[in-house]
Amino acid sequence: TTCVRCSKNRRLRQKRVISERKLTRYFVDHRKVRVVGGQGGAGGHSFHSEPRKVFGGPDGGNGGDGGHVILKADQQMKSLSSVLPFYQGFNGERGGRKNCYGANGAYVYVKVPVGTLVKEDGEVVADLTRHGEEYVAAYGGAGGKGNRFFLSNENRAPTLFTPGEPGQDRVLHLELKTTAHAGLVGFPNAGKSSLLRAISNARPAVAAYPFTTLNPHVGVVCYQDYEQVAVADIPGLIKGAHQNRGLGMAFLRHIERCRFLLYVVDLSVSQPWMQLQDLKYELEQYKKGLSERPSVVIANKIDLTESRLNLQLLREQIDERVIAVSALTGDNLEELFLHLRELYNAYVKTERSQGQSPVKW
């Protein structure tokens, strides 16, 4: 009985573990969607009649407007996977007797992650960077006019009424760019995912063999004063990523939103400073000035024997501040926490000096 129970528990644990390959099915950072506003309701056509007032005149009310389709940024959404390929607003109701107007069609709200870029025919039409921010993707059609609307001195018994207008019909491309304060930038197997697990509550997949993360993960670093700093583990890039090699644009798209960068280099390989040069080159080729954002160099895997000598060589070759850590053993993570907060405080000060509100998590 015990063996059967243990095997059952083991199977349950295995079901909870989702591989990195399966996770990519749930993370979608671009989506094509067609949005159509609701049809406006037709105008009413009727004449008022009651005892001793047979010719009461026209009393057909106007139709209701069609409902809009609205994109709304929601911080709880982390992917575009739940966005459907088609949305349509609700139609407006027809105008009624006794000058009754038809009800307007209800709006359709589509929740998208914060950081969603909306494009139409290759042009950016909206950038949803704040929680709760909305964009009307498709307007509903106007309601038709009832025959009461056409009453005049020249025409005391109009029979004319108009149908409702169709809603706006658009095809939009949604593109997600991860919004985080800091971005972990590094080549595959530099230890970015292990580092994010060590400093936050995020749990990206890690293993004892070489592989690369296939989609971004965002972890939140919490401080004693309840301030929270979001750190994104960006998928590792390779040389030529700006030419769309490897993960290519899938990596570079997500680094644009980060306010400051954490370059993660692997100290166990020879000439680790070459990693930093290649990383900055790829960023600069993708977008000019991207590599000049506030940053710090994190020299990972200091627990390995060959890393001690490489650390000294790295500090001699570059001018940036170097923080040597071990994501595996937790060595020197305290210095990283303190400097991460310094970078965050500088970002908040800069935003407020420019009259803008810093992004909060």
Side-chain angles (χ1 to χ4, degrees), residues 63-322:
D65 296 333
H68 306 329
V69 178
I70 301 175
L71 303 180
K72 186 172 184 178
D74 190 335
Q75 199 165 5
Q76 299 298 321
M77 303 292 292
K78 302 302 179 185
S79 170
L80 294 172
S81 59
S82 61
V83 177
L84 302 177
F86 178 75
Y87 288 95
Q88 182 172 9
F90 290 92
N91 297 334
E93 292 185 3
R94 183 185 182 91
R97 298 174 58 87
K98 298 182 181 180
N99 299 318
C100 291
Y101 282 35
N104 294 333
Y107 294 170
V108 173
Y109 286 91
V110 182
K111 292 183 178 181
V112 296
V114 175
T116 298
L117 208 63
V118 185
K119 294 183 178 181
E120 184 178 24
D121 297 328
E123 296 185 3
V124 177
V125 295
D127 192 0
L128 306 177
T129 59
R130 305 281 179 179
H131 175 71
E133 194 172 358
E134 297 180 1
Y135 172 69
V136 181
Y139 286 94
K145 302 299 183 182
N147 65 335
R148 170 73 182 183
F149 177 82
F150 298 98
L151 177 66
S152 66
N153 290 331
E154 291 76 21
N155 188 0
R156 305 303 299 174
T159 58
L160 177 64
F161 65 98
T162 60
E165 296 182 1
Q168 191 177 15
D169 190 340
R170 305 171 72 187
V171 175
L172 302 176
H173 292 266
L174 307 184
E175 185 178 291
L176 174 60
K177 296 182 179 180
T178 303
T179 299
H181 299 120
L184 293 172
V185 185
F187 287 114
N189 306 311
K192 300 184 303 301
S193 298
S194 298
L195 184 62
L196 188 66
R197 292 173 67 100
I199 65 176
S200 72
N201 57 354
R203 289 296 176 264
V206 296
Y209 52 86
F211 77 100
T212 184
T213 302
L214 300 177
N215 56 270
H217 296 270
V218 178
V220 178
V221 182
C222 302
Y223 291 88
Q224 290 184 349
D225 59 353
Y226 302 104
E227 200 69 71
Q228 295 181 334
V229 181
V231 181
D233 171 20
I234 308 297
L237 79 165
I238 62 174
K239 292 183 180 180
H242 68 279
Q243 298 173 343
N244 213 22
R245 293 179 183 173
L247 293 175
M249 303 303 179
F251 155 75
L252 294 167
R253 179 190 306 132
H254 293 281
I255 204 66
E256 282 188 78
R257 302 280 190 187
C258 297
R259 274 62 180 181
F260 42 91
L261 306 178
L262 309 178
Y263 294 104
V264 183
V265 298
D266 185 354
L267 275 181
S268 64
V269 301
S270 60
Q271 297 183 335
W273 56 89
M274 296 300 297
Q275 300 176 47
L276 182 61
Q277 295 178 12
D278 292 337
L279 289 170
K280 289 189 174 183
Y281 175 78
E282 293 299 329
L283 295 182
E284 201 63 25
Q285 290 298 310
Y286 175 71
K287 183 177 181 181
K288 188 173 180 60
L290 191 58
S291 65
E292 299 174 1
R293 293 187 181 180
S295 63
V296 64
V297 178
I298 302 175
N300 194 22
K301 304 183 183 180
I302 192 62
D303 53 299
L304 301 179
T305 305
E306 58 270 23
S307 300
R308 303 288 180 178
L309 179 60
N310 288 336
L311 176 61
Q312 185 62 31
L313 296 175
L314 176 63
R315 285 174 169 162
E316 294 174 356
Q317 291 289 333
I318 64 175
D319 298 328
E320 290 91 340
R321 177 173 178 176
V322 178

